Amino acid sequence: EHIHLDEVIISTSESKLQRYNTSPVDSRKISDLNKIENSTLIDALSNIPGIYNMSTGNGISKPVIRGLSGMRVLTVQNGLRIENQQWGGDHGFALNELGIEKVEVIKGPSSLIYGADALGGVIYLEDEPYANENKMEIGASSKFESNSMATTNKVSLKISKNKLRFALYGGYLSRADYGIQNDQFVKNSRNSGSSLKAAFGYNNNNWITNLRYQLLDSYIGLPGHTHDSIFIIDDFLSDIQNRRYTIPAQKITNHLALWENKFYWKRNKLVAQLGFTSNHLREFEEKVSVAAMDLTLQNHTYNIRWNHQLSKHFELVSGSQGMMQRNVNDANAEADLIPNTNLLDLGAYSLIRGTFDLWNLQAGARYDQRNVSTQETGYSYENDFNGLNYSFGISRSSKKFTTRLNASTGFRPPHVSEVLANGVHHGSSRYLIGDENLISERANQIDLFLGMHGKHLEVVVNPFINTISNFIYQDPTNQYIDGYQVFNIEQTDALLTGGDLAVHYHPHIAHWLHIESNFSILNTHDQSGNPLPQIPQNRWNTILKVQFEGQNKLKLNAVLVQYSYYFDQDKIASYELKTNAYQLINIGLKGAYEGKQKLEFSTGINNLLNTSYIDHLSRLKPFGIYNPGRNFYIKLSFKLLKN
């Protein structure tokens, strides 16, 4: 008999099995998302229904949740809020999958737990667990990809002794320019990076403490980046593949630190976290020695949450969060895209949860206050924003059926890059003009989940509706400055509707067969009936997995085939180009050699048919630059366990 165990949801503070959760959360292990290996973490996340990748080549990726991205999506790692200048279209995801075990995606407004800005949702990443008690684990993996001649290498060491835990990870990535059809390569799509991650833990009776640190250092080429208002596609292509450093490029250094303490009593639990992040972003455009943009973003955070069991059926959860942020331009940089800025966030929330046999209830409210101030010579901007938000959820889960209804609100104050914009942004080839009178965006979402769990078949239907008032967008004008079209930053009301349909077929008569298929659909428009910009294509995604059992030392564990169909996108903003439908086929093999030590291997081909396509969310689409062509990969990994 098939036995399906749900993941325990961490990101909503409920710590319940996914089936019994009252919020729209999708929890996946990274290994499951990489059944067929992906080039980036966001590519892997795109296997989750409703999640897409807004990319600039294979070096810059941004997650898109139900059509919303950038400053409308929060990234959190182990409870630490990650800030990395996500206002920029060519500023990618701050994290990689080094030492990450699973991801939880909260779809839709999540201001109740995480405060402002989570209008689209939250990407919550959780680290791998420490080694088992009094054990030591040594791990290593290496992956090669043919399309960009990429190598990804990782090592890990975990030691657990009595009440102490320790984990250390290291990784290095190097990619050359990626290839497209006709033996051509996209200039300056090369990138590389190194990362170091350490964690120390101690537990004693009712107290657990964890101290975590991570360093990420990366170099990212900027394909399609130009200061010329007139260009041809040949300017961005080459017959020679290269990985040598050149400009334009970004050099990014991230420091992430978190100290977490958990206290447990009979009816109470207290979690206290102190966090610090530093993002140093330097962009070199026309000079190698002098950065065109040099920004340092430092963020200090605290997070306190108290859980109190009121009775057998009810639990009270209250908490407070704060963030003190400073964004500073280097005085030697050629330009300041945004001014030096200080930001202060304070928020408090309370919610009550009820559990009655098959039923689960949750209701809560939160208040947030944000102060934004800039300090510039001869000019300053300061404003206060606040928001009162609520969330209500109810679910019923039996052996065969799960039903969930959730209503939630959220808000996002305007960013200084929207309020004070007045100049050319070469990443988008636009002249942007902001508006100091912008007010906070406010979202209201209703999410419905219907699931059937049979012995052979699982079916999930998950529709939603999300209304956003004061939606901030870029409105094109007929004016040009220095050859660049002028876009005014304005506000409108927006409506986003859609949902996901997912099917998992695993017949008892064929235990070795798994078929997972999902369909994601999204429709949007503003108050004038015009489609919103940068809305992903509707998508049908299916993966077939055939498992094998064998007694030999060298054995094949699984064969996988993935088919993805992206539909036409003709519901576009006035300045966008339509996107034609395309389909991708990926195949993969997984196996192992079990001698004295177990060596696992996987190999496969992405874009098997070498399809020529440009995804609608590719930021290289206006330049006519294709997404990567056929890509062969091979990965080897091993784990050594010692007492």
Side-chain angles (χ1 to χ4, degrees):
E1 180 177 355
H2 288 285
I3 298 176
H4 175 73
L5 296 178
D6 291 337
E7 294 288 332
V8 176
I9 298 299
I10 303 298
S11 57
T12 62
S13 81
E14 294 194 50
S15 297
K16 291 191 174 217
L17 291 178
Q18 186 171 1
R19 185 177 301 183
Y20 304 110
N21 190 41
T22 59
S23 303
V25 182
D26 208 325
S27 178
R28 304 292 180 91
K29 289 188 175 180
I30 297 298
S31 58
D32 291 337
L33 296 175
N34 277 321
K35 291 174 183 174
I36 297 177
E37 288 289 327
N38 294 272
S39 294
T40 69
L41 176 58
I42 305 302
D43 284 333
L45 297 185
S46 298
N47 286 311
I48 299 175
I51 312 303
Y52 292 81
N53 179 9
M54 180 180 292
S55 66
T56 307
N58 56 12
I60 299 175
S61 298
K62 300 170 77 73
V64 179
I65 304 177
R66 291 177 170 176
L68 300 176
S69 63
M71 293 178 289
R72 299 183 178 99
V73 172
L74 284 187
T75 302
V76 178
Q77 183 173 246
N78 303 310
L80 176 66
R81 175 171 173 150
I82 309 298
E83 293 288 321
N84 69 314
Q85 311 287 4
Q86 55 265 44
W87 53 270
D90 52 2
H91 303 159
F93 199 62
L95 303 173
N96 56 37
E97 60 186 71
L98 180 69
I100 299 294
E101 183 187 42
K102 75 171 186 175
V103 61
E104 296 178 7
V105 180
I106 303 177
K107 300 176 180 178
S110 186
S111 289
L112 190 64
I113 301 298
Y114 296 100
D117 302 330
L119 256 65
V122 176
I123 304 291
Y124 190 99
L125 299 165
E126 184 184 1
D127 280 357
E128 295 176 0
Y130 295 109
N132 291 333
E133 188 174 3
N134 296 319
K135 300 288 185 181
M136 180 174 72
E137 296 181 12
I138 300 174
S141 69
S142 182
K143 182 173 70 171
F144 170 78
E145 298 177 69
S146 64
N147 182 275
S148 59
M149 302 301 290
T151 57
T152 305
N153 300 291
K154 303 175 185 177
V155 294
S156 64
L157 171 65
K158 301 180 185 179
I159 300 174
S160 176
K161 189 69 173 178
N162 299 325
K163 298 179 180 182
L164 297 175
R165 309 284 187 269
F166 175 74
L168 181 67
Y169 304 85
Y172 181 75
L173 160 72
S174 176
R175 290 194 188 102
D177 297 332
Y178 76 80
I180 58 176
Q181 294 68 26
N182 301 322
D183 296 323
Q184 289 188 301
F185 303 93
V186 178
K187 286 181 182 179
N188 208 23
S189 57
R190 64 206 71 164
N191 53 90
S192 62
S194 56
S195 54
L196 176 70
K197 191 173 192 177
F200 172 81
Y202 174 81
N203 63 284
N204 184 19
N205 297 327
N206 66 331
W207 173 47
I208 297 175
T209 186
N210 291 291
L211 184 62
R212 304 179 190 272
Y213 170 77
Q214 186 168 6
L215 167 67
L216 300 103
D217 192 71
S218 58
Y219 148 75
I220 302 172
L222 297 175
H225 192 95
T226 179
H227 286 204
D228 298 327
S229 57
I230 300 176
F231 53 82
I232 59 175
I233 187 173
D234 290 342
D235 295 337
F236 309 112
L237 303 179
S238 174
D239 296 328
I240 301 174
Q241 189 175 42
N242 204 328
R243 70 172 74 236
R244 184 170 54 88
Y245 172 80
T246 187
I247 54 176
Q250 294 176 351
K251 288 187 175 181
I252 306 172
T253 302
N254 283 295
H255 296 274
L256 314 174
L258 176 67
W259 183 31
E260 176 184 63
N261 290 277
K262 296 181 180 179
F263 302 92
Y264 297 87
W265 297 279
K266 185 176 181 179
R267 298 168 65 101
N268 296 276
K269 172 185 174 182
L270 179 66
V271 178
Q273 294 177 322
L274 291 175
F276 170 77
T277 66
S278 174
N279 173 266
H280 185 196
L281 170 63
R282 288 172 292 168
E283 189 167 301
F284 297 86
E285 297 183 352
E286 295 181 325
K287 297 180 181 179
V288 177
S289 58
V290 180
M293 180 176 66
D294 191 330
L295 277 169
T296 299
L297 173 62
Q298 293 188 334
N299 205 32
H300 299 79
T301 63
Y302 78 85
N303 182 12
I304 298 175
R305 186 178 72 245
W306 172 58
N307 295 51
H308 175 63
Q309 195 69 39
L310 294 171
S311 66
K312 177 182 177 181
H313 297 290
F314 290 99
E315 181 184 21
L316 178 68
V317 180
S318 297
S320 176
Q321 291 167 326
M323 176 172 68
M324 185 172 63
Q325 187 178 109
R326 180 162 173 78
N327 205 357
V328 179
N329 290 274
D330 187 276
N332 296 319
E334 294 180 341
D336 297 346
L337 282 184
I338 60 175
N340 296 339
T341 305
N342 295 324
L343 184 148
L344 180 63
D345 262 10
L346 292 173
Y349 64 91
S350 188
L351 59 90
I352 190 167
R353 295 202 296 257
T355 302
F356 307 90
D357 297 325
L358 303 179
W359 293 89
N360 289 276
L361 306 172
Q362 176 179 293
R366 176 181 181 121
Y367 179 79
D368 283 278
Q369 179 78 27
R370 171 174 291 183
N371 175 267
V372 180
S373 62
T374 64
Q375 300 296 326
E376 294 295 319
T377 303
Y379 176 80
S380 64
Y381 166 83
E382 184 171 3
N383 209 339
D384 290 308
F385 303 93
N386 58 73
L388 178 63
N389 294 285
Y390 72 87
S391 177
F392 173 79
I394 181 171
S395 68
R396 185 184 188 277
S397 186
S398 62
K399 184 177 181 180
K400 292 187 177 181
F401 297 97
T402 297
T403 305
R404 181 179 66 228
L405 178 66
N406 180 272
S408 57
T409 67
F411 87 111
R412 182 185 77 89
H415 190 263
V416 291
S417 64
E418 299 164 320
V419 174
L420 302 177
N422 187 14
V424 176
H425 194 290
H426 296 289
S428 59
S429 298
R430 298 174 183 173
Y431 194 104
L432 301 180
I433 298 178
D435 183 355
E436 293 188 26
N437 297 314
L438 295 177
I439 59 177
S440 297
E441 296 179 328
R442 295 191 176 272
N444 294 269
Q445 176 173 288
I446 297 177
D447 184 280
L448 176 65
F449 179 97
L450 303 172
M452 183 201 68
H453 318 284
K455 290 185 177 181
H456 308 278
L457 183 68
E458 294 182 59
V459 179
V460 169
V461 181
N462 183 200
F464 77 94
I465 179 171
N466 190 5
T467 62
I468 303 178
S469 58
N470 311 316
F471 184 85
I472 299 174
Y473 72 106
Q474 297 177 10
D475 186 33
T477 70
N478 295 322
Q479 183 182 2
Y480 286 79
I481 298 179
D482 297 330
Y484 293 93
Q485 187 175 8
V486 175
F487 283 70
N488 291 326
I489 297 178
E490 299 181 358
Q491 293 188 288
T492 184
D493 292 336
L495 176 67
L496 299 91
T497 60
D500 308 307
L501 171 66
V503 177
H504 184 190
Y505 179 58
H506 45 91
H508 281 197
I509 196 172
H511 282 273
W512 43 268
L513 177 65
H514 284 260
I515 300 175
E516 297 181 50
S517 186
N518 60 74
F519 176 67
S520 298
I521 186 171
L522 181 64
N523 184 50
T524 70
H525 63 79
D526 62 19
Q527 63 189 24
S528 301
N530 301 313
L532 300 180
Q534 296 182 318
I535 297 302
Q537 298 161 261
N538 295 332
R539 180 183 65 197
W540 175 35
N541 186 31
T542 299
I543 187 166
L544 181 148
K545 179 181 179 182
V546 178
Q547 293 178 297
F548 300 95
E549 295 183 2
Q551 302 300 322
N552 297 328
K553 288 186 176 181
L554 179 63
K555 58 183 180 180
L556 179 65
N557 292 333
V559 175
L560 304 107
V561 179
Q562 183 178 23
Y563 174 79
S564 300
Y565 186 86
Y566 290 74
F567 292 80
D568 290 328
Q569 180 56 289
D570 54 9
K571 298 177 181 178
I572 57 176
S574 60
Y575 54 88
E576 290 186 297
L577 299 173
K578 294 181 180 180
T579 300
N580 295 326
Y582 66 88
Q583 54 189 346
L584 299 174
I585 298 176
N586 307 321
I587 61 173
L589 304 175
K590 285 183 174 292
Y593 177 80
E594 297 186 3
K596 291 184 178 180
Q597 300 297 332
K598 184 177 181 180
L599 175 68
E600 295 181 331
F601 65 87
S602 61
T603 184
I605 304 175
N606 292 303
N607 193 1
L608 176 67
L609 302 181
N610 202 26
T611 300
S612 298
Y613 73 99
I614 304 178
D615 187 83
H616 189 69
L617 294 184
S618 170
R619 298 191 68 252
L620 301 180
K621 179 179 173 60
F623 307 105
I625 301 175
Y626 288 105
N627 284 72
R630 184 184 294 117
N631 182 38
F632 167 81
Y633 70 85
I634 183 169
K635 181 179 180 181
L636 302 174
S637 60
F638 84 93
K639 184 179 291 185
L640 176 64
L641 303 178
K642 288 187 176 183
N643 292 326

